[in-house]
Amino acid sequence: NRWALIFKVHHCMVDGVAGVGLLEAMLDIEAEPAEEPVDDGDWQPRPEPPAAAKVLDAWGGAIGDTRRALGSVASGLKDPVGGMRKVGEYGAGLLRFGSRLRSTPESSITGAIGPHRRWAHRSVELEAVKRVGHTLGGTVNDVVLTAITLGYRDLLEDAGDDPSRTVLTSLVPVSVRGSDGDGVLDNRVSALLLDLPVDYEEPLECLGEVRARMADLKSSHMAEAGNVVTDLSDLAPPVVVETLSKVGLLAQHRTTQRSVTTVTTNVPGPQFPLYCLGREMLEYLPFVPISYGLRVGTAILSYNGRVAFGLTADLDVEADIDVLADGIVAGMDRLLEMT
């Protein structure tokens, strides 16, 4: 007696925050919202623009990106000391990011991917997550990352891997959306590379290590450096981007990367019920795609007092995705027992 809506939007168009905003725009915040009059008038859809107009529009966007980049350079020239300091910080962030792109030891969740997927989901109470953070220390993100780390430890042990010898490097997307991005449907995300401390068995020690590593990464300027690289890549001509993308995909097909083992993305959702045609949305379940050499991924999304975990895995991965899902919930329970 339930039905669902499935949103599938390419990441180049919206990030997680913008995707939540898109959902809030499409659904209602009341079960019976006031009806608004609709006046279509004489509206007619515009014809598709000719190819030449599309090209000119694309180059116009590139010119705008270049103008904004030059404006940033001009601002730096007004404050040379501050500008040099930022250059140094971004350089240090890039070096930290590059140093983490080393090949990790092979494990049950590394390797090539096929065309088919498995997906599982679990959820916990947001208030419970906050209570753990308030009592034991740490942000909501620290707590959920700890629960995921404990779940991965269970997954590795179930697959016969030794967690003390396994390096699990997770791509952790972080939002770089400023106040100018409120309500804008685009992608403003950078990333951190976090080694999940799966070698820590005790929940409190694991939480402390996650907090320390996240604090270190946040102070490393890694996310800011990644944002600068993304902005600069917007200036590249489309033909260059297309060529480099094809070369990169071909390389991934031939040699599976083992620098990034998994991805963990956390997006805050609305903490009030949403409605569609008078029906309350009971659950908001996230999905994250996987890529070459990255066979398991976790998406986290909070909605109306619950935190949902959506787990994606390659169909042929040796590990059991349900072990990871159950391990995350068990990890949260173990943390709650200590509050």
Side-chain angles (χ1 to χ4, degrees), residues 64 86 101 116 122 157 163 184 202 205 210 216 248 253 293 295:
K86 285 188 176 181
L101 293 177
H116 305 294
R122 301 290 188 275
E157 289 181 333
V184 180
E202 293 300 321
E205 294 180 358
V210 167
D216 177 60
H253 272 295
R295 306 179 76 191

Side-chain angles (χ1 to χ4, degrees), residues 27-193:
L27 301 186
D28 301 317
I29 60 174
E30 299 175 353
E32 298 181 3
E35 293 188 9
E36 298 181 4
V38 178
D39 182 13
D40 292 336
D42 297 325
W43 179 85
Q44 293 292 330
R46 290 182 298 174
E48 182 180 355
K54 295 179 183 178
V55 172
L56 290 174
D57 181 69
W59 280 110
I63 292 171
D65 291 337
T66 304
R67 188 184 300 117
R68 284 189 291 271
L70 292 175
S72 299
V73 173
S75 299
L77 293 176
K78 293 179 182 178
D79 180 15
V81 175
M84 290 301 296
R85 184 174 63 250
K86 285 188 176 181
V87 170
E89 291 174 351
Y90 295 156
L94 285 174
L95 287 174
R96 284 289 301 275
F97 192 92
S99 67
R100 290 179 174 269
L101 293 177
R102 79 286 193 198
S103 183
T104 59
E106 189 173 355
S107 69
S108 59
I109 61 172
T110 60
I113 61 171
H116 305 294
R117 303 286 176 264
R118 286 188 284 168
W119 184 75
H121 68 89
R122 301 290 188 275
S123 66
V124 298
E125 292 184 1
L126 177 59
E127 188 57 40
V129 176
K130 292 181 177 180
R131 184 163 73 247
V132 170
H134 178 73
T135 306
L136 304 181
T139 64
V140 168
N141 194 50
D142 293 334
V143 175
V144 295
L145 282 174
T146 301
I148 288 170
T149 300
L150 295 170
Y152 268 113
R153 181 181 174 89
D154 290 349
L155 182 72
L156 292 169
E157 289 181 333
D158 182 75
D161 292 319
D162 183 358
S164 65
R165 294 188 170 186
T166 304
V167 178
L168 236 59
T169 301
S170 177
L171 181 74
V172 182
V174 292
S175 177
V176 291
R177 184 176 295 271
S179 58
D180 61 331
D182 293 342
V184 180
L185 297 179
D186 59 3
N187 191 329
R188 303 191 185 189
V189 170
S190 186
L192 302 175
L193 291 179

Side-chain angles (χ1 to χ4, degrees), residues 9-17 173 186-189 265 288-289:
V9 187
H10 200 289
H11 217 317
C12 71
M13 298 177 65
V14 296
D15 55 24
V17 175
D186 59 3
N187 191 329
R188 303 191 185 189
V189 170
T265 175
V288 61

